């Protein structure tokens, strides 16, 4: 008994001590959790939760004011979909503690300056929107908000700045008006009218050459693909006409009006927009993606029109939810489906439209493609009775409009649809698409089905593809992905390479050394050479053919087998492809052997580049060669080319990074030397180190220059090839008096555009490419 | 200046699950392990081809090592997938884990690092240790 008491005491004492030292951290975590999760999983109303939280925070202000300020600033920046919840909270705190309100506003202004300095323009929008909604909560005086907006709009008067800069400032102002337009108009209608007319003038004179390059469809029907500022302007105009009555936004502060209107307001300090810096990265312009209207959701709540401000707010909030929760698909799906006010809108349609809008966004989706696939699967799981139907409807609509869809977007649709189907036993009503069988196979619809089946086969097997489609679709089913061995049997015995192929094959099977195999290969006759010309080292296409065909045949069983084979005989492969012609021919042989298995071609080419058997320019030249012209519109061709470009870009970035790191190291070394004082031995050691670093930097500098030159050359090759192809096509059409706009031509222009978008353009380049693309269309 | 909100930025899909390789002491983060059920024999392409296609959706795959039955030396339902970057592996944990491949649910988990010998299943009969599969109830 005494023992127990003793241990109790010691435990109790220690526990008490432990509790005391960890308390502040625990409390800070608790504060964070309380604030971030306010209203979640509660049986009481949001308003009473906010009231309770305001009381708790007010009590904690004396000890934890800075922490609370930081948390609130962070939610303003990171949880824009809960904007009005937190502005209400700040309003309640301001009503109870005027000084705190003032400090919060100051902290927000500081944060706004930081985000602008760090090119975080999207987050800056959320911050300004938060400030503007604080007007509704009586924290900020309306006239000072109007003054800030006036300063923003005055950026449109600046000269010699990129259009995307003034675009952003106009966008910020317009995008706040759904929340605060009413209040600002009630207090300062003259100033607001002047502001809006300035905006109108700007919107009329700004360039919109980027629009065609960003539209998912070229057709204006059934839904116009509007430029984002034009659409937002139309929505604000309509809102103004409706006398700023906005009914969708959830406004908890209305319930607290009696408390809040007693509060004293703060004035925003005068805010001058930071000047334009050359390295500023303003957001790129966008086109609004629309695929549904109220006629598509005939039952249930009506879908808000394309120019209604409700549409804008809903889409903004859904985009924000995805931005916050994309890493956790279950949470993301749950958050999307529990959107406040969901009972008044056809939520499933909005969700599907927003997700496809992101997936098809040009130049790139905001998140990884595969995220959208798994998110949609998750949504189907959570709403099995309704969402799959909307998704099927959407898929059907997308199929119907393939003729005018940008090829880049069609690629993404193919990848999404095949991956999606593979999670649902490939069940689909293929018969509904039998119209695609009635047109040429190179038209968009049959092409789409063909590519979907090919991608689906990669996640399944050939016979499955045969089984899942009606027999009438057999022309669209991919070929069985089997190796085509030139030297397979006796019937090939007349081929010049046949005898050596047998010898080499046996040598490989008997684990002969590389030298032995090279010796065997010397016996392969060279069709390019005269009989008495004894230059054994020159390019011999037949040698490459015999060795590679035989090797790949032996390793055809799987990717792993083929990769091992390439690795094992790397030396031989390098010897055979010493010249540019050799590299080109190697790729040709790979294609000929595996032309029924594009997936295998892609992975082999990837390995050949990574092991430096072929270079990127060789791959580009091969894909654009006459031999590959019949595959020019196949998806796998472009996947290989894009993958090649990406490898090149990553390679350059990697070496640039190494160079930067070495330079940093040298700088640190030199600082150390300055601080170390007069130590002879240390001086000598550091001199040696410096010398080594300088040598390393010189080597890396050379490496960077050579890599950049290779990169530039790759793009030059690609653009030159495009010019040649397009010129040939235009000449052919002219002489034949045929219409230029064939499916091939459209495909080619879209592909050219896609390459433009991979060069990592600055804004000036981007608009230049837009002009070229517009000319070509 | 603003605080990073731990309560907000949840990324639980990339957390290490309860399975720990009992033979390994340290951890490297470039790899994952794919666990699958035993499959009945049908004509299917090599597992590594399917796995390559699926896992390439989250990034460039460096290599795939198929788990083998120690005795029969045939594929027995798991493999190691190695990426060039950790970020790509994290995407696989977020977006490949829990989806279907060849109509079976894929389960992925971080792996400590592939070493020769670890590709063999360690069940008494040489097959995959079944208790791992029991712990992962399929959704």
């Amino acid at each position: 008994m005494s023992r127990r008491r003793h241990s109790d005491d010691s435990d109790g004492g220690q526990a008490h001590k432990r509790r005391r030292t960890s308390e502040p951290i625990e409390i800070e975590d608790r504060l964070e959790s309380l604030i971030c999760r306010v209203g979640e999983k509660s049986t009481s109303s949001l308003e009473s939760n906010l009231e309770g939280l305001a009381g708790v925070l007010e009590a904690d202000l004396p000890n934890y004011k800075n922490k609370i300020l930081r948390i609130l600033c962070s939610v303003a920046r990171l949880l824009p979909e809960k904007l009005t919840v937190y502005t209400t909270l700040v309003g309640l705190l301001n009503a109870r503690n005027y000084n705190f309100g003032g400090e919060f506003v100051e902290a927000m202004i500081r944060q706004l300056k930081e985000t602008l300095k760090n090119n975080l323009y999207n987050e800056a929008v959320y911050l300004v929107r938060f400030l503007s909604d604080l007007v509704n909560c009586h924290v900020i005086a309306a006239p000072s908000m109007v003054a800030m907006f006036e300063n923003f709009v005055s950026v449109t008067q600046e000269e010699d700045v990129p259009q995307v800069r003034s675009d952003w400032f106009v966008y910020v102002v317009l995008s706040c008006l759904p929340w605060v337009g009413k209040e600002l108009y009630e207090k300062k209608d003259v100033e607001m009218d002047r502001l809006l007319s300035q905006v109108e003038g700007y919107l009329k004179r700004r360039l919109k050459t980027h629009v065609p390059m960003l539209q998912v469809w070229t057709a204006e029907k059934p839904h116009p693909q509007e430029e984002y500022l034009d659409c937002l302007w139309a929505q604000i105009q309509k809102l103004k006409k409706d006398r700023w009555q906005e009914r969708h936004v959830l406004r908890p502060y209305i319930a607290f009006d009696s408390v809040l209107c007693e509060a004293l307001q703060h004035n925003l300090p005068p805010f001058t927009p930071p000047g334009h810096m050359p390295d500023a990265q303003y957001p790129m312009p966008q086109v609004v993606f629309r695929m549904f209207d109220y006629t598509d959701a005939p039952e249930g709540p009506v879908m808000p029109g394309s120019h209604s401000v409700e549409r804008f707010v809903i889409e903004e909030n859904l985009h924000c939810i995805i931005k916050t929760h994309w890493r956790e698909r279950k949470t993301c799906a749950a958050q999307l489906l529990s959107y406040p006010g969901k009972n008044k809108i056809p939520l499933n349609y909005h969700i599907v439209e927003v997700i496809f809008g992101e997936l098809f966004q040009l130049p790139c989706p905001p998140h990884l493609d595969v995220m959208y696939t798994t998110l949609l699967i998750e949504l189907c799981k959570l709403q099995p009775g309704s969402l799959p139907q909307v998704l099927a409807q959407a898929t059907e609509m997308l199929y119907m409009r393939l003729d005018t869809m940008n090829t880049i977007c069609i690629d993404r649709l193919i990848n999404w649809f095949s991956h999606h189907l593979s999670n649902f036993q490939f069940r689909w009503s293929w018969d509904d698409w039998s119209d695609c069988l009635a047109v040429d196979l190179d038209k968009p619809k049959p092409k789409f089905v063909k590519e979907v089946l090919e991608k689906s086969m990669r996640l399944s097997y050939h016979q499955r593809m045969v089984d899942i489609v009606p027999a009438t679709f057999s022309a669209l089913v991919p070929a069985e992905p089997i190796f085509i061995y030139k030297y397979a049997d006796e019937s090939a015995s007349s081929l010049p390479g046949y005898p050596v192929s047998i010898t080499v094959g046996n040598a490989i099977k008997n684990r002969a050394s590389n030298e032995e195999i090279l010796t065997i290969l010397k016996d392969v006759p060279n069709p390019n050479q005269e009989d008495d010309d004894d230059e054994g080292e020159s390019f011999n296409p037949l040698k490459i053919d015999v060795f590679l065909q035989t090797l790949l045949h032996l390793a055809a069983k799987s990717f792993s087998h083929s990769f091992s084979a390439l690795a094992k005989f790397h030396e031989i492969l390098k010897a055979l492809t010493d010249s540019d012609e050799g590299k080109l021919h190697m790729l040709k042989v790979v294609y000929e052997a595996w032309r029924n298995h594009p997936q295998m071609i892609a992975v082999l080419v990837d390995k050949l580049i990574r092991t430096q058997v072929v270079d990127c320019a060789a791959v580009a030249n091969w894909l654009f060669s006459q031999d590959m012209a019949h595959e020019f519109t196949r998806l796998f061709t472009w996947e290989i080319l894009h993958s090649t470009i990406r490898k090149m870009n990553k390679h350059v970035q990697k070496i640039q990074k190494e160079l930067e790191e070495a330079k940093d190291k040298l700088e640190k070394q030199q600082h150390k030397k300055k601080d170390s004082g007069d130590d002879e031995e240390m001086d000598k050691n550091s001199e040696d180190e410096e010398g080594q670093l300088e040598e390393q930097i010189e080597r890396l500098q050379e490496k960077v220059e050579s890599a950049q030159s290779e990169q530039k050359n790759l793009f030059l090759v690609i653009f030159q090839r495009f010019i040649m192809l397009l010129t040939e096509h235009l000449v052919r059409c002219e002489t034949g008096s045929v219409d230029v706009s064939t499916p091939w031509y459209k495909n080619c222009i879209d592909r050219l555009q896609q390459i433009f978008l991979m060069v990592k353009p600055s804004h000036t380049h981007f608009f230049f490419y837009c002009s070229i693309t517009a000319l070509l269309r | 200046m603003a605080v990073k909100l731990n309560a907000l930025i949840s990324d639980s899909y990339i957390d290490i699950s309860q399975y720990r390789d009992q033979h390994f002491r340290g951890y490297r983060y470039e790899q994952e392990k794919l666990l699958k059920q035993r499959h009945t024999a049908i004509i299917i392409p090599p597992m590594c081809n399917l796995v390559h296609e699926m896992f390439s959706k989250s990034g460039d795959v460096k290599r795939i090592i198929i788990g083998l039955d120690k005795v029969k030396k045939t594929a027995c339902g798991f493999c190691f997938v190695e990426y060039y970057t950790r970020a790509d592996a994290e995407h696989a944990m977020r977006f490949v884990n829990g989806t279907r491949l060849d109509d079976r649910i894929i389960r992925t988990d971080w792996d400590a690092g592939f070493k020769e010998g670890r590709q063999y299943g360690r069940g008494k009969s040489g097959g995959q240790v079944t208790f791992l599969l029991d712990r992962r109830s399929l959704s």
Side-chain angles (χ1 to χ4, degrees):
Chain A
M1 195 155 138
S2 59
R3 208 190 293 162
R4 212 187 335 138
R5 228 188 297 139
H6 174 76
S7 64
D8 272 347
D9 279 340
S10 63
D11 271 349
Q14 280 193 325
H16 179 67
K17 217 194 262 172
R18 247 183 284 127
R19 229 185 292 130
R20 245 220 299 261
T21 49
S22 65
E23 234 176 44
I25 302 174
E26 276 179 20
I27 291 195
E28 290 193 1
D29 283 346
R30 190 178 67 90
L31 282 174
E32 211 180 276
S33 177
L34 279 175
I35 293 173
C36 292
R37 302 203 196 292
V38 65
E40 277 178 33
K41 299 190 177 105
S42 168
T43 46
S44 341
S45 69
L46 175 63
E47 284 78 7
S48 72
N49 275 309
L50 281 172
E51 178 132 45
L53 181 56
V56 168
L57 293 179
E58 189 193 3
D60 281 329
L61 278 181
N63 295 321
Y64 296 101
K65 182 183 70 175
N66 284 326
K67 180 69 180 178
I68 293 173
L69 273 176
R70 284 204 303 273
I71 296 173
L72 289 174
C73 282
S74 292
V75 297
R77 197 166 51 90
L78 299 174
L79 279 179
E81 64 270 24
K82 293 214 168 130
L83 171 68
T84 51
V85 170
Y86 293 111
T87 51
T88 307
L89 180 63
V90 172
L92 291 173
L93 287 171
N94 180 56
R96 295 165 190 236
N97 189 321
Y98 177 77
N99 285 333
F100 178 78
E103 286 188 61
F104 177 75
V105 171
E106 275 169 25
M108 284 286 284
I109 294 291
R110 276 198 303 273
Q111 196 180 205
L112 177 59
K113 289 191 177 133
E114 277 289 309
T115 51
L116 288 175
K117 206 167 82 175
N118 295 324
N119 282 314
L120 297 169
Y121 288 96
N122 291 329
E123 292 184 6
V125 173
Y126 305 145
L127 292 175
V128 177
R129 215 178 273 165
F130 196 95
L131 289 172
S132 68
D133 201 45
L134 285 179
V135 173
N136 293 326
C137 301
H138 298 261
V139 178
I140 290 178
S144 67
M145 195 72 225
V146 173
M148 182 187 248
F149 283 173
E150 281 171 342
N151 281 346
F152 280 14
V153 170
S154 69
V155 170
T156 58
Q157 305 298 321
E158 286 176 8
E159 288 177 2
D160 290 328
V161 292
Q163 181 174 289
V164 284
R165 170 178 160 85
S166 27
D167 278 358
W168 185 81
F169 283 98
V170 165
Y171 174 75
V172 172
V173 171
L174 291 179
S175 75
C176 292
L177 294 183
W179 282 267
V180 76
K182 181 152 183 275
E183 188 67 23
L184 294 185
Y185 239 84
E186 274 174 16
K187 299 274 158 57
K188 286 276 179 182
D189 61 334
V190 170
E191 285 81 356
M192 287 301 292
D193 272 333
R194 189 166 52 215
L195 197 131
L196 287 181
S197 109
Q198 257 191 301
V199 167
E200 187 171 19
Y202 171 72
L203 292 177
K204 281 206 178 98
R205 64 175 191 267
R206 68 192 271 272
L207 294 172
K208 285 186 281 202
T209 43
H210 51 278
V211 173
M213 198 137 143
L214 300 177
Q215 286 175 321
V216 172
W217 292 284
T218 52
E220 283 290 294
K221 290 187 162 56
H223 309 110
Q225 306 293 293
E226 281 187 281
E227 208 271 345
Y228 81 117
L229 276 183
D230 286 346
C231 183
L232 182 54
W233 175 248
Q235 288 163 328
I236 298 301
Q237 290 290 85
K238 184 161 184 296
L239 177 64
K240 183 177 169 191
K241 239 197 242 148
D242 293 340
R243 291 178 307 143
W244 304 98
Q245 300 296 329
E246 190 290 317
R247 272 172 263 272
H248 177 81
V249 172
L250 181 79
R251 297 177 196 258
Y253 39 82
I254 293 178
F256 295 105
D257 199 47
S258 53
V259 169
L260 293 176
C261 71
E262 299 291 314
L264 288 171
Q265 296 169 320
H266 305 266
N267 281 318
L268 276 176
F271 187 91
T272 323
H276 172 63
M277 303 294 282
D279 60 343
Q281 293 157 31
Y282 304 104
M284 295 297 251
Q286 286 182 9
V287 163
V288 178
F289 178 82
R290 287 279 159 69
M291 67 179 291
F292 291 131
D293 62 35
Y294 72 98
T295 60
D296 298 306
E299 291 163 10
V302 175
M303 192 171 216
S306 59
H307 283 169
S308 71
V309 84
E310 280 76 28
R311 195 73 178 261
F312 173 78
V313 173
I314 294 165
E315 286 166 359
E316 258 300 286
N317 283 335
L318 293 177
H319 281 300
C320 288
I321 291 174
I322 295 175
K323 188 158 186 260
T324 304
H325 297 287
W326 64 269
R327 292 174 194 83
E328 288 192 337
R329 60 197 200 239
K330 283 195 170 70
T331 312
C332 195
Q335 288 286 325
L336 286 170
L337 289 171
S338 57
Y339 180 70
K342 62 184 177 185
N343 296 320
K344 302 197 205 119
I345 54 175
L347 182 61
N348 286 342
Y349 285 87
H350 285 290
I351 291 175
V352 167
E353 188 179 65
V354 163
I355 288 177
F356 276 127
E358 289 202 7
L359 179 62
F360 296 138
Q361 189 176 303
L362 294 167
C364 291
H367 304 287
L368 206 56
D369 293 39
V370 69
M371 186 281 282
Y372 300 104
T373 313
T374 52
L375 179 59
L376 283 169
I377 292 172
E378 212 55 49
L379 287 163
C380 285
K381 277 192 204 160
L382 289 177
Q383 295 258 284
S386 56
L387 205 121
Q389 290 86 320
V390 176
L391 196 51
Q393 189 181 348
T395 310
E396 179 68 34
M397 290 170 76
L398 293 169
Y399 168 80
M400 300 274 280
R401 303 180 59 193
L402 282 171
D403 289 328
T404 54
M405 193 184 221
N406 189 308
T407 309
I408 305 172
C409 301
I410 298 181
D411 286 353
R412 296 188 200 157
L413 182 59
I414 292 166
N415 283 323
W416 166 74
F417 190 48
S418 53
H419 191 183
H420 181 85
L421 284 179
S422 75
N423 274 267
F424 296 98
Q425 299 91 40
F426 295 105
R427 278 178 309 208
W428 182 250
S429 47
W430 299 99
D431 272 315
D432 290 350
W433 289 355
S434 46
D435 64 327
C436 76
L437 301 170
V439 295
D440 272 334
L441 289 186
D442 62 342
K443 288 280 192 306
K445 281 183 185 165
K447 217 168 173 328
F448 168 76
V449 173
K450 210 161 175 266
E451 296 282 8
V452 164
L453 291 175
E454 210 225 89
K455 278 284 170 153
S456 299
M457 184 171 73
R458 297 190 193 190
L459 294 170
S460 174
Y461 51 97
H462 182 257
Q463 186 57 40
R464 193 86 193 272
M465 297 301 105
V466 173
D467 293 339
I468 61 172
V469 295
T472 44
F473 277 67
S474 57
L476 300 178
V477 172
E480 231 187 306
I482 46 181
F483 187 88
I484 300 171
Y485 188 38
K486 201 169 174 177
Y487 304 108
D489 51 32
E490 301 282 302
S491 61
S493 53
S494 55
L495 293 174
Y498 182 75
V500 185
S501 76
I502 306 270
T503 326
V504 163
N506 288 331
I508 294 174
K509 281 185 244 182
N510 294 328
R511 299 171 196 273
S513 72
N514 285 352
E515 290 80 34
E516 289 169 324
I517 294 178
L518 279 169
T519 312
I520 295 171
L521 287 174
K522 280 212 175 84
D523 290 337
V524 177
N526 189 343
N528 285 355
Q529 259 178 4
E530 309 286 307
D531 278 319
D532 52 352
D533 205 348
D534 197 34
E535 270 183 55
E537 298 307 313
S538 74
F539 164 56
N540 181 346
L542 193 57
K543 219 196 253 191
I544 297 177
D545 189 72
V546 165
F547 178 69
L548 197 51
Q549 276 261 351
T550 308
L551 179 65
L552 290 180
H553 171 61
L554 288 171
K557 190 164 180 211
S558 75
F559 290 178
S560 302
H561 288 83
S562 296
F563 295 162
S564 301
L566 290 183
K568 188 157 185 230
F569 294 98
H570 179 251
E571 217 183 289
I572 300 184
L573 293 171
K574 278 224 78 151
L576 290 173
T577 58
D578 208 19
S579 61
D580 282 345
E581 304 151 298
K583 297 180 167 70
L584 203 57
H585 195 75
M586 172 151 290
L587 294 165
K588 196 169 162 192
V589 171
V590 168
Y591 170 75
E592 276 173 3
W594 277 119
R595 60 186 178 271
N596 287 331
H597 200 344
Q599 188 193 10
M600 176 67 95
I601 299 177
V603 301
L604 289 177
V605 171
D606 175 79
K607 276 288 182 274
L608 290 172
I609 294 177
R610 288 190 194 270
T611 52
Q612 297 176 319
V613 174
V614 301
D615 60 324
C616 296
V619 174
N621 276 317
W622 162 62
L623 290 171
F624 278 92
S625 68
Q626 192 52 40
D627 291 332
M628 293 294 282
H630 62 294
E631 306 280 36
F632 193 69
T633 57
R634 294 270 305 269
L635 180 50
F636 84 90
T637 300
W638 297 97
E639 287 185 334
I640 293 177
L641 186 60
H642 296 147
S643 167
T644 304
I645 295 174
R646 272 198 309 271
K647 279 191 273 284
M648 185 78 247
N649 288 345
K650 277 192 190 155
H651 175 64
V652 170
Q653 280 165 12
K654 181 163 166 259
I655 309 183
Q656 278 171 334
K657 192 163 164 229
E658 282 175 26
L659 178 61
E660 289 307 308
E661 282 169 359
K663 281 187 177 160
D664 284 341
K665 238 171 135 183
L666 181 64
E667 221 182 284
K668 282 198 187 101
Q669 187 67 28
Q670 286 168 336
H671 279 293
K672 238 169 68 181
K673 191 167 98 171
K674 250 192 267 173
D675 299 335
S676 72
D678 291 305
D679 187 335
E680 258 194 52
E681 204 182 299
M682 265 192 74
D683 273 350
K684 181 161 191 308
N685 283 342
S686 72
E687 251 181 62
D688 283 341
E689 258 190 73
E690 252 185 68
Q692 276 182 6
L693 276 174
E694 279 168 356
E695 256 183 61
Q696 190 189 21
I697 289 178
E698 223 183 282
R699 266 183 286 122
L700 283 173
Q701 192 74 49
E702 279 173 23
K703 256 179 114 178
V704 164
E705 279 164 17
S706 125
Q708 283 174 335
S709 147
E710 200 189 330
Q711 184 187 40
K712 221 183 282 181
N713 184 49
L714 174 61
F715 281 110
L716 269 173
V717 164
I718 295 173
F719 287 134
Q720 276 169 359
R721 291 297 207 147
F722 265 114
I723 292 174
M724 279 163 54
L725 278 176
L726 287 168
T727 315
E728 277 168 23
H729 175 80
L730 291 171
V731 163
R732 229 180 298 130
C733 290
E734 232 182 274
T735 45
S737 300
V738 171
D739 185 19
V740 161
S741 307
T742 57
W744 180 90
Y745 184 69
K746 176 186 179 289
N747 193 290
C748 193
I749 301 298
D750 286 348
R751 293 299 183 195
L752 174 60
Q753 174 192 323
Q754 198 170 15
I755 303 295
F756 281 155
L757 296 172
M758 292 186 86
V759 185
K760 279 233 182 295
S762 67
H763 295 118
T764 35
H765 289 149
F766 178 68
F767 284 99
F768 172 64
Y769 295 145
C770 291
S771 316
I772 296 186
T773 325
L775 267 172
L776 287 166
R777 290 194 206 284
Chain B
M1 83 150 303
V3 85
K4 190 175 178 202
L5 299 168
N6 299 321
L8 254 194
I9 315 296
S10 180
D11 201 355
S12 61
Y13 280 77
I14 66 170
D15 290 340
I16 298 175
S17 79
Q18 288 186 321
Y19 167 67
R20 288 280 184 275
D21 186 331
Q22 290 154 334
H23 289 227
F24 196 83
R25 269 170 262 256
Y27 289 103
R28 272 193 302 133
Y29 293 103
E30 286 82 36
Q31 294 179 339
E32 293 188 341
K33 190 151 74 179
L34 163 73
L35 297 170
K36 284 173 74 169
Q37 289 176 312
R38 276 175 297 117
H39 52 74
T40 52
I42 47 173
I43 309 159
I44 54 167
M47 187 160 96
C48 68
N49 291 18
L50 291 168
V51 168
H52 195 280
E53 176 71 9
M54 179 57 76
F55 281 83
S56 292
K57 292 186 186 292
S58 72
D60 291 334
V61 170
K62 188 170 176 186
R63 67 175 172 163
I64 296 169
I65 295 133
I66 303 292
L68 301 174
D69 180 302
K70 200 168 189 175
V71 172
K72 291 184 253 168
K73 300 277 163 73
T74 52
C76 69
F78 73 94
C79 66
F80 296 89
V81 178
E82 191 178 342
Y83 287 94
Y84 290 99
T85 70
R86 189 203 161 108
D88 291 345
E90 285 179 355
H91 286 320
M93 291 292 282
R94 295 184 188 110
F95 308 127
V96 178
N97 189 17
T99 63
R100 286 178 186 271
L101 178 61
D102 201 17
D103 217 24
R104 289 162 306 213
I105 304 264
I106 304 169
R107 289 270 171 254
T108 65
D109 197 356
W110 291 108
D111 184 74
F114 178 75
K115 276 193 156 55
E116 183 57 42
R118 292 190 61 243
Q119 74 269 37
Y120 295 109
R122 275 171 273 134
K124 285 212 179 85
S125 60
Q128 176 54 25
V129 183
T130 53
F131 84 87
L132 292 166
L133 302 170
D134 290 344
R135 265 198 228 158
R136 277 149 183 68
S137 56
L138 299 179
S139 45

